[in-house]
Amino acid sequence: MSDERTGASDRRKAEGPGAVKQPRGAEGAIQKVGVIGAGVMGAGIAAHCANAGVPVVLLDIVPGGAAKAVQTMLRADPAPFMHKGAARLITAGDIGTDLALLGDCDWIVEAIVEKPEPKRELYAKLEAVRKAGSIISSNTSTIPLGDLVAGASAGFAADFLITHFFNPPRYMRLLEVVQGPATRADAVASITEFCDRRLGKTVIPCKDRPGFIANRIGGMWMQSAINNAFTMGLSVEEADALMSRPIGVPKTGVFGLLDLVGIDLMPHVAASMKATLPADDAYVQGLREHALITRLIKEGRTGRKGGKGGFYTRKRDAAGVQQKLAIDLASGEDRPEKKARLESLELRDLAKLAEHPDRGGRYMRAVLLDLLSYAASLVPEIADSVADVDAAMRLGYNWKWGPFELIDKVGAAWLAAALRADGRAVPKLLEQVGTGSFYRVQDGVLQFFGTDGAFHDVPRAPGVLLLADVKRRSKPLAKNAGASIWDIGDGVACLEFHSKMNALDPDILGMIGKALGMGKKGTFRALVIHNEAENFSVGANLGLALFAANIAAWGEIEGMIEQGQKAMLGLRNAPFPVVGAPSGMALGGGCEVLLHCTAVQAHAESYIGLVEVGVGLIPGWGGCATMLRRWTDNPKAPKGPMPAVAKAFEMISTAQVAKSAFEAQEMLLLRPTDGITMNRDRLLADAKARALAMVETHNVPEAPKPMRLPGASGHAALNMAVQQQVLMGRATPHDVVVCDQLGIALTGGKKDHTDEITDEEVMKLERQSFMALLKTPGTLARVEHMLETGRPLRN
């Protein structure tokens, strides 16, 4: 085993930059975590607790298995660790010899084989080593809590609950929590607070029923979608096209999802649910064994993890060209994948799609009736409210809409009528809502329909501030097609981007200028830049630049670059605090917005980088200048004019992207003083608090001192390094052109190394190099390729 019983000083080193400070209060009661079982889930839970800066003991039944799991996670992609330093917080050991290491853990998570007997045997052993009052939980996905604590002492039952994480634990925001009749209320409160604030989870209380919420409803959806695809003669492509965008499900659909999670998982889930659900349950009654699926499992074609493919397979043809194949559900033979073409797929109205007479419409109707009637029949059996059910499905299965939100889209009356037309029972809750809806907005507050027949406010955890709630109850201070400014209270405004993918365009840049002007006039005391879209901003609107370049409107493009630079400098020099609050991707121009904010409060899952070289360009809104400045001023970096240039050149020329906010701090894309929020729902409140804390002490920043850059000699050195990459086959001729212009901007152009240069002068070089590259043959083709495919052109 590895022995890393770190002291406080060592722990701070392991936590890395931006580490979450140990809080006081309910969540602060958990200072150390134990995880038993180093499989995919157990190891992932351990890694994520370490991401939060918490020491973890990870034990496995296989000798050396836990240590091996940690090393495997350090190489994994997507990475379970938010930064590699977090791995040093994990002490790995074996269940057989190191169970005593759990003695000082405040929370012990069991994640071993999904069978009650081995779990109960382990719990009996834990009784002898755990400290009094420590909380024990199981990560079971199907076994009722009552079965797990059968025969346990009263003290153990009081400390026990179920904490069901979803895979992968770092990325999936749902945590289902089940408490038993004997579980201590303060134990539930401690776990809820810790997992919310420290692990970033939305904690949903569930009833002690098989499959809890998400897997119970998700299992029915998958079962119905598969059964009906076979019986109605749909192709896997047609089924996945219908079971994705139209109902707000990720593009994998259902067969693609099975390939992703493992086809062999299906029989295990089905067996567990059949063993624990009553025989008359709709899920049990719909169980079918499909010969094709049985054959695939027997052949080892269990999806992506098996390497042999599943419903979809990638193979190379005789010419060595890779093909994507799809299996024919009728014949069981692989054939080239083909795009689904159904008239029903052209419809955007879900109810109309489900009424379309083609097989796509009939299929959609059948699945919706199964899924939505089942969900409506399970409240309050599995959860207290429809809001909890919808949240569980959105966060646990990445659905855009939960089942009750889907009912509102098709209409509760439509669903009830369709069920009656098929001779099926209408669930009581659906009868209760009648011709109404499950959600409404009343006096600016979102409400849900309860089992008591009344509407109730959708609850928010204490300290949560959502922009969506602000928008329901107020009107923007200013708005155009690309952005809006909202009053979020206490003299703080929020600038929201809302263009397609939040790509920055003249409307957004203009609204930045508008916000700066309003702040200078005293309309508000501080500004937060934030939105609740999937991504903060994917960068500049390249489509506009491509259109202007194709008609040789170079002046328009240069004007947009100047407008962007003016906006960024305005943010940097604002007489009031400007706090960037990103989540998701902040790339290219989106990254440059953050680089020029007074401070940043980032969601931990922020992916930040200057990626312009992917389309044959370089940052043009101050990204080069700011990265030069940060590496020049970094006290840990070597001194002299070249080290900062080399570091910025390496990052920008290879389009490096930080895969977490912690990594962004290591790369200086975020400052060491910038904050990190683990729970996305708390991001806006944290950013607002940060902005308010800066109001009294904020002054207009002084102009940064000029930098000494290496000039022509440094530029030549960078070009030599790029030529070496060409000789090794790692760079293309076009890369040479791009890197040459990047080198000019970063080294100060033709200035001698004894000359000093200001940030504004570097930005002028950025603008000149950007325009030179845009006019370079081949660049527009790269921009167009990126817009069409989402991938850079490599040649």
Side-chain angles (χ1 to χ4, degrees):
M1 60 171 279
S2 64
D3 189 3
E4 294 188 22
R5 301 167 201 183
T6 56
S9 175
D10 291 335
R11 187 175 306 139
R12 283 192 293 270
K13 293 177 184 177
E15 290 168 0
V20 183
K21 291 182 174 62
Q22 293 281 355
R24 295 179 180 179
E27 76 274 22
I30 297 176
Q31 300 289 333
K32 188 172 183 179
V33 175
V35 180
I36 308 175
V40 172
M41 287 303 299
I45 294 166
H48 196 50
C49 291
N51 288 334
V54 179
V56 182
V57 173
L58 176 63
L59 305 181
D60 195 55
I61 193 168
V62 178
K68 183 178 179 180
V70 173
Q71 294 305 309
T72 299
M73 290 191 294
L74 284 169
R75 299 187 298 270
D77 186 20
F81 291 114
M82 289 181 173
H83 61 100
K84 294 186 184 301
R88 296 198 295 273
L89 284 173
I90 297 180
T91 299
D94 304 333
I95 292 176
T97 57
D98 300 310
L99 212 59
L101 291 176
L102 300 171
D104 60 347
C105 290
D106 305 297
W107 175 28
I108 301 171
V109 184
E110 168 269 303
I112 65 170
V113 63
E114 193 72 339
K115 294 180 180 179
E117 294 80 7
K119 291 178 185 289
R120 288 195 292 260
E121 289 174 8
L122 175 63
Y123 301 157
K125 295 176 182 177
L126 287 178
E127 283 276 47
V129 297
R130 74 184 185 101
K131 67 180 182 181
S134 60
I135 301 169
I136 312 293
S137 72
S138 174
N139 186 55
T140 181
S141 58
T142 57
I143 303 173
L145 184 146
D147 291 351
L148 296 175
V149 295
S153 68
F156 187 90
D159 294 335
F160 187 85
L161 64 159
I162 289 172
T163 51
H164 179 219
F165 289 82
F166 282 70
N167 191 30
R170 168 184 164 181
Y171 300 96
M172 300 304 291
R173 293 171 60 196
L174 175 64
L175 178 70
E176 294 179 323
V177 170
V178 180
Q179 66 181 91
T183 308
R184 293 185 286 116
D186 57 337
V188 178
S190 291
I191 291 297
T192 299
E193 280 289 294
F194 178 83
C195 293
D196 171 346
R197 297 179 183 272
R198 304 296 302 281
L199 301 187
K201 302 303 177 188
T202 296
V203 180
I204 302 292
C206 306
K207 304 291 183 67
D208 189 16
R209 299 295 296 148
F212 313 129
I213 298 175
N215 283 345
R216 181 83 173 269
I217 293 174
M220 169 57 89
W221 167 69
M222 286 191 288
Q223 177 175 276
S224 176
I226 293 165
N227 287 347
N228 283 297
F230 275 98
T231 58
M232 292 186 176
L234 271 77
S235 68
V236 292
E237 297 97 330
E238 289 170 339
D240 284 346
L242 288 158
M243 290 295 106
S244 52
R245 180 195 56 78
I247 59 171
V249 167
K251 63 182 180 181
T252 51
V254 62
F255 290 104
L257 176 63
L258 284 171
D259 275 358
L260 180 64
V261 301
I263 298 171
D264 55 334
L265 184 65
M266 282 185 62
H268 297 292
V269 172
S272 177
M273 297 290 272
K274 185 178 180 180
T276 52
L277 287 172
D280 61 351
D281 186 88
Y283 176 89
V284 176
Q285 291 185 335
L287 286 172
R288 304 282 186 276
E289 184 173 334
H290 298 284
L292 175 59
I293 294 177
T294 303
R295 193 198 87 195
L296 290 175
I297 296 172
K298 186 176 181 180
E299 293 174 354
R301 287 184 54 173
T302 55
R304 299 185 192 182
K305 66 178 183 180
K308 295 182 179 180
F311 293 105
Y312 296 97
T313 306
R314 293 187 183 275
K315 291 183 180 178
R316 295 191 181 276
D317 61 18
V321 177
Q322 192 175 76
Q323 279 188 311
K324 187 174 183 182
L325 306 176
I327 201 163
D328 185 290
L329 295 180
S331 69
E333 300 297 322
D334 289 324
R335 52 157 178 76
E337 182 187 29
K338 53 189 178 185
K339 183 177 176 64
R341 300 191 184 280
L342 295 165
E343 280 189 16
S344 53
L345 276 171
E346 302 301 318
L347 299 173
R348 292 293 180 264
D349 184 289
L350 187 56
K352 289 181 179 178
L353 194 165
E355 293 289 356
H356 195 281
D358 73 5
R359 64 177 177 274
R362 297 194 306 273
Y363 176 73
M364 179 64 78
R365 184 180 188 277
V367 176
L368 285 181
L369 264 57
D370 285 346
L371 167 65
L372 302 182
S373 65
Y374 192 59
S377 72
L378 291 177
V379 177
E381 178 192 337
I382 62 173
D384 286 328
S385 74
V386 300
D388 282 345
V389 170
D390 282 344
M393 297 315 298
R394 289 195 307 270
L395 299 172
Y397 274 66
N398 273 338
W399 289 7
K400 186 175 182 180
W401 308 294
F404 294 95
E405 291 166 314
L406 282 172
I407 292 175
D408 281 358
K409 292 184 77 65
V410 298
W414 176 91
L415 177 61
L419 289 168
R420 292 190 188 100
D422 284 10
R424 297 170 64 168
V426 177
K428 179 183 176 181
L429 189 59
L430 194 58
E431 292 276 20
Q432 279 183 281
V433 82
T435 59
S437 62
F438 282 101
Y439 291 93
R440 72 178 187 184
V441 175
Q442 186 77 11
D443 298 326
V445 178
L446 182 64
Q447 297 182 327
F448 68 90
F449 185 80
T451 55
D452 59 356
F455 277 92
H456 306 268
D457 293 352
V458 174
R460 305 295 184 207
V464 167
L465 173 63
L466 297 182
L467 187 57
D469 289 341
V470 173
K471 292 163 68 174
R472 287 189 189 97
R473 62 176 180 258
S474 61
K475 293 183 178 180
L477 301 174
K479 181 178 182 179
N480 63 24
S484 299
I485 303 171
W486 300 90
D487 182 351
I488 58 174
D490 301 310
V492 182
C494 177
L495 173 60
E496 176 200 22
F497 304 156
H498 46 66
S499 62
K500 184 178 180 180
M501 298 188 74
N502 291 328
L504 304 179
D505 57 17
D507 282 334
I508 291 179
L509 297 176
M511 196 55 67
I512 291 175
K514 177 81 172 177
L516 293 169
M518 293 171 69
K520 289 175 183 176
K521 291 178 181 178
T523 307
F524 46 78
R525 299 188 294 160
L527 178 69
V528 172
I529 304 178
H530 171 74
N531 61 74
E532 290 174 348
E534 185 177 353
N535 296 305
F536 178 75
S537 173
V538 296
N541 188 328
L542 294 175
L544 290 177
L546 179 64
F547 176 78
N550 280 328
I551 61 173
W554 305 115
E556 293 292 324
I557 298 172
E558 190 151 11
M560 184 175 170
I561 300 173
E562 290 178 357
Q563 183 189 15
Q565 290 193 347
K566 181 180 178 181
M568 301 306 149
L569 289 173
L571 294 174
R572 189 190 76 182
N573 299 323
F576 51 86
V578 178
V579 176
S583 57
M585 291 189 288
L587 304 177
C591 174
E592 288 173 301
V593 169
L594 300 177
L595 291 175
H596 290 86
C597 289
T598 314
V600 174
Q601 184 73 32
H603 181 226
E605 296 298 348
S606 294
Y607 313 112
I608 305 172
L610 297 167
V611 298
E612 288 85 349
V613 296
V615 292
L617 297 169
I618 68 167
W621 289 342
C624 295
T626 306
M627 292 315 300
L628 270 179
R629 167 64 57 190
R630 291 193 178 179
W631 284 104
T632 297
D633 294 347
N634 180 21
K636 297 181 181 179
K639 302 305 177 185
M642 198 62 192
V645 169
K647 191 64 181 178
F649 182 83
E650 177 190 0
M651 287 177 55
I652 297 171
S653 67
T654 56
Q656 292 180 15
V657 175
K659 295 182 179 179
S660 72
F662 295 96
E663 282 193 8
Q665 286 187 316
E666 293 171 352
M667 297 165 65
L668 298 191
L669 292 162
L670 297 179
R671 308 173 189 85
T673 54
D674 286 332
I676 297 174
T677 297
M678 294 295 280
N679 192 322
R680 186 169 180 169
D681 286 348
R682 297 186 177 277
L683 179 59
L684 181 56
D686 287 354
K688 176 185 173 182
R690 189 176 186 87
L692 285 171
M694 300 170 67
V695 167
E696 298 301 325
T697 59
H698 182 78
N699 295 305
V700 177
E702 295 182 3
K705 293 181 180 179
M707 296 178 283
R708 181 167 283 114
L709 299 180
S713 60
H715 182 211
L718 294 178
N719 282 345
M720 288 178 61
V722 174
Q723 288 298 333
Q724 287 295 318
Q725 296 298 308
V726 173
L727 293 174
M728 291 187 288
R730 296 176 181 171
T732 69
H734 196 81
D735 291 334
V736 175
V737 176
V738 176
C739 289
D740 179 62
Q741 290 294 333
L742 175 61
I744 291 172
L746 290 175
T747 60
K750 296 181 180 179
K751 278 186 173 271
D752 186 76
H753 72 277
T754 59
D755 294 331
E756 291 185 329
I757 186 169
T758 65
D759 292 46
E760 286 75 7
E761 287 175 309
V762 175
M763 291 176 74
K764 182 178 179 180
L765 290 172
E766 283 184 51
R767 186 167 70 245
Q768 293 170 349
S769 290
F770 184 96
M771 290 303 300
L773 286 170
L774 198 58
K775 296 176 182 179
T776 299
T779 297
L780 296 186
R782 281 167 166 73
V783 174
E784 190 168 8
H785 185 269
M786 174 64 81
L787 289 172
E788 289 179 353
T789 68
R791 298 187 301 273
L793 182 65
R794 301 301 301 166
N795 59 39

